[in-house]
Amino acid sequence: MQLCFNQATTLENSNLAKDLEFCDKHGYDFIEIRTMDKLPEYLKDHSLDELMEYFQTHHIKPLAFNALVFFNNRDEAGYKEIIDEFKQMMETGKKLGIQYVVAVPLVTEQKILKEDIKNSCVEVLKELSDIAEPYGIKIAVEFVGHPQCTVNTFGQAYDIVETVNRENVGLVFDCFHFHAMGSTMDDLKKADGSKIFILHMDDTEDFPIGILTDEDRVWPGLGAIDLDGILSTLKEIGYEGAASIELFRPEYYQLGAEEAIKIAKETTVNSVSKYYEFDSVTVG
């Protein structure tokens, strides 16, 4: 397995240039680049060519753009925005060597029938799949474990991906989101591990199902999530992708960026290495 860093973990105390420097220093293999804020911020003072050169001359490589947000059940204008944004991601992603674009379902207070959610997701994902095919970039759908998200359990997300039935469309498996809305281990055990493209590692404080928020996340192994059950099952079903640490903890934003990146590595490797061997990562 390879180790990845998601920039949300240092969202308020770092930037892309620093994250790359510290992640490369501490032996990360990949980074998930935040396209909503960190990449535009970087491009104010740097060029895309500089970023390309960095990846060409350092060990760390780009794993994913995170994220194409709220892709389903949009009005006509919103749908056009999603398609245009995705096409731009493809052009930029090809230059950088991006493997995946994370696609996040709509979060809304509006009640939408599950059938309508599924139909919209399948329709849009098939179109995105067609657009992405020539670029060799895959789409990783991330279900979000909050009641207001239109796709909020593993079983629901997996059903959508199975219906799409495209080689370049799969899932992000986030341990927090799996736990937060009570996704079941039975659904995970029945899944094909090759349809899971990215593993997001995290943990959470022990609040009731349905009221957890991203700010409740803690370092892997320090919370209430059954990481042993999840990781052993992922191993059994054949997951072979990267482990990407993703936290949104306000207290962790008070740390220095390098310290946070180092702790993220140590806690992730300690949790995951019980079930997977890392290709080039050692703790310390």
Side-chain angles (χ1 to χ4, degrees):
M1 179 171 278
Q2 293 177 301
L3 183 65
C4 181
F5 184 77
N6 183 295
Q7 287 196 279
T9 308
T10 51
L11 182 60
E12 296 182 7
N13 58 340
S14 191
N15 55 43
L16 180 54
K18 289 181 180 178
D19 284 345
L20 287 171
E21 176 190 351
F22 296 139
C23 286
D24 193 67
K25 175 181 176 180
H26 289 283
Y28 284 79
D29 301 295
F30 292 111
I31 189 167
E32 286 187 74
I33 299 173
R34 283 180 62 93
T35 53
M36 305 90 81
D37 39 45
K38 296 303 183 183
L39 182 58
E41 177 188 48
Y42 176 90
L43 292 175
K44 290 179 181 178
D45 300 313
H46 304 80
S47 69
L48 194 61
D49 286 342
E50 287 180 75
L51 188 55
M52 291 166 58
E53 183 180 3
Y54 188 92
F55 287 128
Q56 290 167 0
T57 56
H58 292 77
H59 172 76
I60 194 167
K61 298 295 183 281
L63 182 70
F65 278 157
N66 196 321
L68 184 73
V69 177
F70 304 162
F71 69 87
N72 59 297
N73 296 96
R74 301 293 296 271
D75 59 21
E76 186 174 347
Y79 171 74
K80 184 180 184 302
E81 288 177 6
I82 285 294
I83 298 301
D84 290 345
E85 181 181 356
F86 187 74
K87 288 178 178 178
Q88 182 58 54
M89 284 180 164
M90 291 297 99
E91 294 294 332
T92 307
K94 182 179 180 180
K95 292 177 181 178
L96 293 179
I98 290 289
Q99 297 183 40
Y100 305 101
V101 168
V102 175
V104 177
L106 178 67
V107 177
T108 178
E109 296 290 338
Q110 178 187 357
K111 290 184 177 180
I112 305 174
L113 292 172
K114 288 181 72 175
E115 180 182 8
D116 294 335
I117 294 168
K118 179 177 178 178
N119 288 341
S120 176
C121 286
V122 170
E123 180 181 356
V124 176
L125 288 169
K126 284 184 176 180
E127 180 168 359
L128 297 179
S129 170
D130 290 339
I131 295 169
E133 179 65 29
Y135 294 91
I137 298 173
K138 296 183 178 183
I139 303 151
V141 181
E142 182 170 15
F143 65 97
V144 177
H146 300 313
Q148 290 76 27
C149 186
T150 50
V151 182
N152 57 27
T153 66
F154 175 81
Q156 183 189 10
Y158 191 80
D159 177 56
I160 289 167
V161 166
E162 275 199 312
T163 303
V164 173
N165 194 27
R166 299 283 181 86
E167 289 294 322
N168 64 348
V169 178
L171 292 176
V172 175
F173 184 99
D174 186 302
C175 297
F176 171 83
H177 291 316
F178 184 84
H179 173 87
M181 282 296 290
S183 293
T184 70
M185 204 68 76
D186 285 342
D187 282 340
L188 181 57
K189 289 176 179 177
K190 292 183 288 187
D192 177 356
S194 69
K195 299 306 293 183
I196 300 172
F197 292 163
I198 302 172
L199 168 63
H200 280 174
M201 284 299 300
D202 37 44
D203 214 324
T204 185
E205 294 184 279
D206 197 10
F207 292 114
I209 297 301
I211 67 167
L212 288 155
T213 63
D214 281 328
E215 290 76 14
D216 300 320
R217 299 183 188 213
V218 295
W219 303 119
L222 301 185
I225 298 177
D226 181 14
L227 293 181
D228 287 326
I230 288 171
L231 290 165
S232 61
T233 303
L234 286 170
K235 181 72 171 181
E236 288 172 7
I237 66 173
Y239 176 72
E240 297 179 348
S244 183
I245 179 74
E246 185 190 42
L247 302 175
F248 293 85
R249 186 78 175 179
E251 292 96 312
Y252 299 167
Y253 295 148
Q254 304 305 310
L255 301 171
E258 183 172 11
E259 182 181 3
I261 286 167
K262 186 176 179 181
I263 296 171
K265 172 189 171 181
E266 292 171 350
T267 55
T268 300
V269 171
N270 284 339
S271 294
V272 177
S273 60
K274 300 174 189 176
Y275 304 95
Y276 289 90
E277 291 185 8
F278 282 89
D279 295 347
S280 59
V281 172
T282 56
V283 178

